[in-house]
Amino acid sequence: MYPFFSIIIPVYNSEKYLEVCLNSILKQSFSDYEILIINDSSKDRSKNICNDFKRTSSKIKIIENKKNLGVSLSRNKGIKNSSGKYIIFLDSDDILVPGSLKKLHHYILLTKTNIIVLKHNELKNNYKNSIK
């Protein structure tokens, strides 16, 4: 069976943020998703962090770019390798606040929509102190 969401995360030299990003997904109450990490030839510890998370979660797939392709081509690789009904693009320095996937899933089922564009909040310290 295919997951409801494919969460595509291009990663390039994101060691400072990557763990928080991935934990924010893995701690969601909604669990019908896959995570596709596209490592865009990172030079820092990002690849190691991705592999550590992959060992702890079967939801994670890692795609390695042999050379730096940039965010757009990396996202396109993620799309080609995804199997979810809906695609979510997340940057490696983004987080999903608790309950995000559950609310998004509910909204999609309620409205039967095909495309949703979400406004993001810039976060300061934690998600409780958000700036629109």
Side-chain angles (χ1 to χ4, degrees):
M1 183 152 188
Y2 300 109
F4 195 80
F5 293 118
S6 290
I7 303 171
I8 298 172
I9 308 170
V11 171
Y12 181 73
N13 293 345
S14 303
E15 69 182 2
K16 292 180 183 176
Y17 315 103
L18 191 53
E19 289 181 48
V20 174
C21 174
L22 294 173
N23 278 323
S24 79
I25 301 166
L26 294 169
K27 290 180 179 178
Q28 293 288 310
S29 57
F30 183 84
S31 61
D32 191 9
Y33 62 84
E34 65 179 355
I35 301 170
L36 291 97
I37 300 170
I38 298 80
N39 182 24
D40 199 16
S41 293
S42 294
K43 308 285 187 233
D44 65 359
R45 291 188 55 253
S46 294
K47 181 177 180 175
N48 295 337
I49 294 167
C50 292
N51 288 328
D52 289 346
F53 272 86
K54 183 174 173 39
R55 281 190 281 279
T56 64
S57 176
S58 61
K59 293 183 175 297
I60 296 176
K61 298 176 187 174
I62 300 173
I63 300 164
E64 295 284 342
N65 290 345
K66 293 182 181 183
K67 65 178 185 172
N68 185 268
L69 300 177
V71 70
S72 295
L73 291 177
S74 294
R75 282 186 179 140
N76 288 343
K77 269 190 166 183
I79 292 169
K80 288 178 186 171
N81 288 278
S82 68
S83 58
K85 185 171 181 175
Y86 289 87
I87 292 177
I88 295 174
F89 292 123
L90 201 63
D91 290 333
S92 58
D93 61 348
D94 291 342
I95 64 165
L96 290 178
V97 296
S100 296
L101 293 181
K102 187 175 183 177
K103 287 178 185 175
L104 190 55
H105 175 258
H106 176 74
Y107 184 79
I108 289 169
L109 295 180
L110 185 69
T111 63
K112 300 191 184 341
T113 190
N114 289 320
I115 298 173
I116 297 175
V117 178
L118 298 174
K119 183 178 178 183
H120 75 280
N121 288 331
E122 183 179 337
L123 302 179
K124 222 174 191 177
N125 300 329
N126 62 43
Y127 69 89
K128 293 178 184 175
N129 298 322
S130 64
I131 304 167
K132 290 190 178 184

